[in-house]
Amino acid sequence: MNELIFRGKDRLSPDAGDIAVLLMLVTAEFLVGRLKFHWGPGPMVLLVGGTVLLFAAGRLVGMRYWVRVDAEGITVNWGLGRGRTYSWRQISWIDVAEISGRGRTTRVARIHTTDGRRHWLSALVASGFEPSDDFDAEVRQVIDRWRHCTEPSRRVRPEKRFRDRITPLWIGMAGTAVLAVVLFVTNVTL
């Protein structure tokens, strides 16, 4: 049985849009630092250099993501270390989670293990920022391999939990309500 490998460097590499955002951020930092705060070259080098370093480190780690599907199971690597292998016996379900935010939907493949935990497959992601034309076909390959390597009695769809119904919109609305109450209470007591 051939192994399937999905790598972050194939889909998460920096493009012109990333470079444009970085240049705009660095320009804004430079203008605000020099014109508003009158910082000298030392603090400016630290600020701009730190921004570029954090941006590059984030992209490099993302490009090191990979997922391997083979006869033993699924190995997930988040860019650091050797990764973690989940044997076919540990995997009870595989599905795609959809996360809506900022006007776009991100789809990511995930596995559900027999201990009730969920694990994102780091390199199997498709979104408006990182589109993947082959996402559905790749997820179908992983699911087909899982079905081939497990018996039907071990495939158990997990029940929906409360956290499955929470979206960034609901978190934002709840946070706004809590903030309004806190501001109202502190304003009344002052």
Side-chain angles (χ1 to χ4, degrees):
M1 184 180 295
N2 294 336
E3 67 181 14
L4 304 172
I5 297 179
F6 307 102
R7 300 177 306 182
K9 69 180 178 179
D10 295 336
R11 60 183 83 219
L12 300 174
S13 57
D15 58 5
D18 294 330
I19 302 302
V21 168
L22 179 62
L23 288 175
M24 286 190 296
L25 183 61
V26 166
T27 302
E29 286 177 345
F30 183 78
L31 291 174
V32 170
R34 292 294 287 169
L35 300 177
K36 175 138 178 83
F37 297 113
H38 306 291
W39 288 345
M44 289 305 301
V45 167
L46 288 175
L47 179 65
V48 171
T51 300
V52 170
L53 184 66
L54 287 173
F55 181 84
R59 273 308 185 171
L60 286 174
V61 168
M63 289 174 56
R64 290 177 46 95
Y65 290 174
W66 56 265
V67 173
R68 183 179 66 230
V69 181
D70 57 18
E72 295 179 23
I74 298 176
T75 303
V76 181
N77 186 301
W78 284 95
L80 303 170
R82 295 184 320 202
R84 168 121 190 240
T85 300
Y86 301 95
S87 69
W88 294 118
R89 293 172 34 132
Q90 290 177 287
I91 301 171
S92 62
W93 196 256
I94 299 176
D95 64 4
V96 174
E98 292 190 5
I99 305 160
S100 298
R102 294 191 287 171
R104 298 180 188 213
T105 300
T106 299
R107 298 171 53 208
V108 63
R110 66 182 177 178
I111 59 174
H112 300 262
T113 54
T114 55
D115 62 359
R117 300 181 76 195
R118 298 154 190 209
H119 306 278
W120 304 104
L121 300 182
S122 58
L124 282 173
V125 179
S127 69
F129 298 111
E130 302 291 344
S132 173
D133 297 332
D134 300 330
F135 177 78
D136 292 322
E138 291 170 343
V139 171
R140 174 63 38 211
Q141 287 178 318
V142 173
I143 291 173
D144 289 345
R145 184 72 55 94
W146 168 65
R147 286 187 175 153
H148 176 72
C149 294
T150 60
E151 48 196 62
S153 63
R154 292 183 115 2
R155 300 180 206 142
V156 180
R157 170 176 257 163
E159 294 179 10
K160 290 263 186 192
R161 295 184 185 171
F162 177 70
R163 69 180 180 192
D164 292 329
R165 292 185 278 275
I166 296 177
T167 64
L169 176 66
W170 284 105
I171 292 171
M173 290 180 1
T176 302
V178 168
L179 181 63
V181 168
V182 167
L183 291 175
F184 178 76
V185 168
T186 57
N187 193 23
V188 168
T189 60
L190 294 176

